[in-house]
Amino acid sequence: MHFHETAIQLEIRDLAHKFAQKELAPVIEEDEKVERFRPELIQSLGTLGLAGIPVPEEFGGAGLGYSEYVVAIEEIAAVSTAYAISVAVTGLPQVCINLFGNEAQKKKYIPALAKGEAIGAFSLSEAGAGSDAANLRCSARREGDHYIITGTKHWTTQGDSAETIILMARTGGKGPKGISAFIVEKGTPGFQLGKREKKMGCNASHTMELIFNQMKVPAANLLGAEGDGFRIAMTALDSGRITIAAAAIGIAQASLNAATRHAKQREQFGKVIGEFQGVSFMLADMATHLAAARLLVQRAAWLKDHGHPFSTEAAMAKLFATDMAMKTATDAVQILGGSGYTQDFPVERYMREAKVMQIVEGTNQVQRMVIGRSLTK
């Protein structure tokens, strides 16, 4: 076991940190207010090799692993959760197609995603099928060399800007075995954008309703075989939980940094507030929980990279890291006091953004179910 970062991880951390500070920090507060997403920033990340870290070099990726991927996500999230999520979500189609796609699908779709030239999305949830994903109703029926897809999806991150979407639809009977996965391209006839959600945070990342009205998708865009969709979705979610946990680490680190700076500068009763035990103990707990969460994330990433089962560990990392990020961001607001509750300081944004991390890629209640089942099965 190693408790230090490799040379390549340090290089990726430095690269992602410099990009986030130079390109994201100057624009993110304004972009959050006006709900502006800049796809050119994802392309810039792709040019740097940070949009396709865990996919093979032959398809335009970096040929590395999640141990490197989480480092980049963390550094981006420390400045912008919205763009960290965007990178993570663009990574999901790459992971799905790389693991389950045929050679033609890999060559056609992965390179543009890995280079940041295309935005990716993952569309699973519906109004009646969120945590209960196997209950989805969006349907797909085979007609000759096409599938006709009808239904509505909710909460699809960057569904309005994505060129490549992994879509789950029902091709068979009830339950998980009746679900299949499809690669859907932007502009496919019958594909309509519904409403854009008004959210409490991560507004530079758009969350969309997608409507499919007799959408005609080539049979060649079936990912895997009919009935493989639920397995593909769960594999994607396991991987996604690692990246969401990494993004939570970034939020928590930014929150701790802001709280520490304030505690070293703000004076009350003749001394800086960091010298008061009540504040110093809060900072100590924040730092300790952050360190523990980072180790859980790194362990889950290592297991995935080395071909070991990692579903339970990914759930643990996601559960602990996102709960930790929410607590750390809340405590940062408390340490800054009245200032922390204003938009003059970023900790109020961190607090709002941390909340969604406890919900996406499976709520933290679902993570407890996953962990509990692994203990009792």
Side-chain angles (χ1 to χ4, degrees):
M1 298 180 70
H2 301 281
F3 293 97
H4 59 84
E5 291 183 330
T6 65
I8 188 63
Q9 288 169 332
L10 290 171
E11 183 179 341
I12 288 173
R13 184 177 294 281
D14 182 63
L15 194 63
H17 177 81
K18 288 178 178 177
F19 174 86
Q21 293 298 324
K22 180 182 178 181
E23 303 293 340
L24 297 179
V27 301
I28 192 57
E29 295 295 344
E30 179 64 20
D31 285 356
E32 283 291 321
K33 290 176 183 176
V34 301
E35 302 183 5
R36 180 191 297 118
F37 173 66
R38 301 173 187 259
E40 65 271 18
L41 292 177
I42 303 302
Q43 185 166 4
S44 296
L45 283 163
T47 301
L48 292 173
L50 299 177
I53 289 175
V55 296
E57 291 181 88
E58 64 180 301
F59 301 122
L64 299 171
Y66 267 61
S67 296
E68 291 76 32
Y69 196 20
V70 296
V71 170
I73 295 290
E74 177 186 329
E75 288 295 332
I76 296 167
V79 175
S80 168
T81 306
Y83 281 97
I85 289 175
S86 182
V87 172
V89 171
T90 291
L92 285 181
Q94 297 178 60
V95 171
C96 291
I97 297 170
N98 186 51
L99 289 176
F100 298 99
N102 56 45
E103 199 69 12
Q105 291 170 338
K106 293 178 184 180
K107 290 179 179 178
K108 182 176 181 180
Y109 294 106
I110 295 179
L113 292 164
K115 295 173 184 176
E117 296 168 355
I119 304 295
F122 181 81
S123 195
L124 171 64
S125 296
E126 298 177 8
S131 295
D132 184 11
N135 194 38
L136 65 82
R137 300 179 65 182
C138 181
S139 66
R141 70 178 190 276
R142 181 77 181 254
E143 287 191 1
D145 58 357
H146 285 78
Y147 283 88
I148 307 301
I149 300 178
T150 302
T152 301
K153 292 290 184 178
H154 289 257
W155 310 301
T156 300
T157 299
Q158 57 201 24
D160 55 344
S161 56
E163 284 84 5
T164 304
I165 301 172
I166 302 298
L167 170 68
M168 305 302 164
R170 188 167 299 284
T171 53
K174 294 181 179 180
K177 294 182 179 180
I179 298 171
S180 299
F182 298 89
I183 305 170
V184 175
E185 298 179 17
K186 185 176 185 178
T188 300
F191 179 3
Q192 304 171 22
L193 293 177
K195 70 173 182 177
R196 191 167 83 193
E197 301 294 344
K198 301 295 291 184
K199 302 178 296 184
M200 68 185 290
C202 294
N203 290 310
S205 172
H206 299 167
T207 303
M208 301 298 301
E209 175 187 56
L210 304 182
I211 301 168
F212 309 111
N213 183 14
Q214 300 288 303
M215 180 175 66
K216 196 174 182 180
V217 175
N221 283 31
L222 176 69
L223 188 59
E226 282 197 12
D228 283 348
F230 192 77
R231 180 167 65 96
I232 293 171
M234 293 304 103
T235 300
L237 288 177
D238 283 342
S239 300
R241 285 163 185 164
I242 297 176
T243 55
I244 290 299
I249 297 294
I251 297 171
Q253 186 67 67
S255 300
L256 175 59
N257 291 347
T260 302
R261 284 194 302 271
H262 185 79
K264 292 164 67 175
Q265 296 170 359
R266 173 70 167 166
E267 292 188 7
Q268 292 288 278
F269 305 104
K271 58 182 177 181
V272 295
I273 62 172
E275 295 181 14
F276 291 103
Q277 190 177 79
V279 173
S280 68
F281 278 17
M282 289 176 71
L283 293 172
D285 286 345
M286 293 159 75
T288 302
H289 296 157
L290 173 58
R294 186 175 276 120
L295 287 173
L296 280 174
V297 174
Q298 291 171 344
R299 178 170 180 248
W302 186 92
L303 289 170
K304 175 176 171 56
D305 290 344
H306 288 81
H308 298 296
F310 68 95
S311 179
T312 300
E313 288 76 13
M316 289 178 174
K318 196 270 184 183
L319 168 64
F320 189 83
T322 58
D323 279 353
M324 178 277 304
M326 188 71 235
K327 179 67 163 61
T328 301
T330 303
D331 284 349
V333 171
Q334 188 71 23
I335 289 172
L336 267 71
S339 296
Y341 198 68
T342 72
Q343 294 184 7
D344 293 333
F345 294 85
V347 290
E348 62 86 25
R349 174 167 65 86
Y350 301 155
M351 183 176 173
R352 289 184 287 108
E353 292 176 346
K355 182 66 240 179
V356 76
M357 311 308 276
Q358 296 175 301
I359 299 171
V360 296
E361 303 290 8
T363 67
N364 282 5
Q365 287 70 32
V366 167
Q367 306 314 311
R368 289 178 170 88
M369 289 170 57
V370 171
I371 298 163
R373 281 199 300 264
S374 75
L375 296 171
T376 58
K377 66 180 180 181

